[in-house]
Amino acid sequence: DQQVKQNSPSLSVQEGRISILNCDYTNSMFDYFLWYKKYPAEGPTFLISISSIKDKNEDGRFTVFLNKSAKHLSLHIVPSQPGDSAVYFCAASRRRGTGTASKLTFGTGTRLQVTL
Amino acid sequence: DAGVTQSPTHLIKTRGQQVTLRCSPISGHKSVSWYQQVLGQGPQFIFQYYEKEERGRGNFPDRFSARQFPNYSSELNVNALLLGDSALYLCASSRQGTDTQYFGPGTRLTVL
């Protein structure tokens, strides 16, 4: 049962253009969402997160949008740079409210290639 | 500040053997989680520990066990290794009161 889905295995974007990575989830109990970037032979690097009480969060070139009614979130990267080429994972969790982070449920990832 | 560290980087074992993987969290982080990532998939949750107590367990067999030490470092043990245990094992830590987990570089386990 894949509760977090990234339906696009790969995406190719020209340098300077916008990259849009999509993620869908099925579990309505998820209330915290994160995006991670992963290079080969490295662990995932945290990029940006969003709580379910918001519909948008920005951090520099990265913006995450959340549509709770559609159970959909997206990561926008503007402008895209060659160094952004990596695998991007969407993750979701259900906050405990007890002070400790909850387990993350990941999608299968989208490989982004930014071309010159 | 140093990030999450894991050792060893790579490991090769044969079926039936046992393995121990180690993780040191970011300084000040008291929660450690373990994930398994097989090729082509996202990481799958194995265990979470906080203040030396197990706070969560994923859908993994009893061959998998873990513990957390007083200095908040952690070990993941896998007994009776199977070929299917070949994967990247990731450790993540988080600060109390926050929901973001930070990952280490992982340990690549190959079971022959």
Side-chain angles (χ1 to χ4, degrees):
Chain A
D1 177 25
Q2 191 71 28
Q3 298 187 65
V4 177
K5 301 177 184 179
Q6 294 177 257
N7 292 318
S8 298
S10 63
L11 175 68
S12 183
V13 172
Q14 277 189 323
E15 181 181 12
R17 307 292 287 266
I18 183 172
S19 294
I20 300 177
L21 296 98
N22 294 303
C23 178
D24 297 293
Y25 61 97
T26 58
N27 189 338
S28 59
M29 300 303 290
F30 288 143
D31 57 5
Y32 191 68
F33 304 89
L34 310 90
W35 285 94
Y36 288 86
K37 176 172 73 174
K38 188 177 184 304
Y39 294 117
E42 294 184 13
T45 300
F46 170 70
L47 281 176
I48 191 169
S49 62
I50 187 167
S51 163
S52 60
I53 63 173
K54 295 184 175 182
D55 54 17
K56 177 182 175 182
N57 189 27
E58 283 183 85
D59 185 0
R61 296 186 299 113
F62 302 92
T63 302
V64 56
F65 295 92
L66 175 62
N67 182 334
K68 288 184 293 293
S69 61
K71 295 191 180 66
H72 177 83
L73 63 156
S74 60
L75 175 68
H76 293 210
I77 306 173
V78 184
S80 300
Q81 300 173 354
D84 295 330
S85 297
V87 177
Y88 288 77
F89 288 97
C90 168
S93 71
R94 178 182 174 184
R95 286 171 147 169
R96 284 201 185 101
T98 59
T100 58
S102 300
K103 71 172 187 178
L104 297 175
T105 300
F106 283 84
T108 53
T110 296
R111 181 176 302 277
L112 173 65
Q113 180 73 40
V114 180
T115 59
L116 298 174
Chain B
D1 285 342
V4 176
T5 59
Q6 294 185 242
S7 63
T9 305
H10 295 90
L11 206 49
I12 299 175
K13 293 285 189 178
T14 57
R15 282 177 295 176
Q17 286 189 311
Q18 175 265 340
V19 68
T20 298
L21 311 180
R22 295 175 176 82
C23 170
S24 291
I26 293 171
S27 178
H29 289 194
K30 298 181 179 180
S31 178
V32 170
S33 297
W34 288 94
Y35 292 80
Q36 180 197 64
Q37 185 181 18
V38 299
L39 200 60
Q41 299 295 319
Q44 297 289 316
F45 173 74
I46 310 175
F47 284 110
Q48 184 186 42
Y49 277 78
Y50 175 71
E51 292 282 12
K52 303 185 293 296
E53 291 188 1
E54 183 182 301
R55 290 298 187 95
R57 173 185 285 253
N59 189 23
F60 281 81
D62 291 343
R63 299 184 295 107
F64 288 76
S65 64
R67 55 179 176 168
Q68 187 177 34
F69 298 98
N71 66 353
Y72 304 111
S73 67
S74 178
E75 285 182 352
L76 175 71
N77 295 284
V78 187
N79 293 323
L81 285 167
L82 304 174
L83 296 179
D85 295 330
S86 295
L88 180 67
Y89 288 85
L90 296 161
C91 174
S93 73
S94 59
R95 187 184 302 277
Q96 183 180 4
T98 68
D99 295 283
T100 300
Q101 297 182 34
Y102 297 89
F103 285 83
T107 294
R108 172 70 61 186
L109 172 65
T110 302
V111 182
L112 302 176

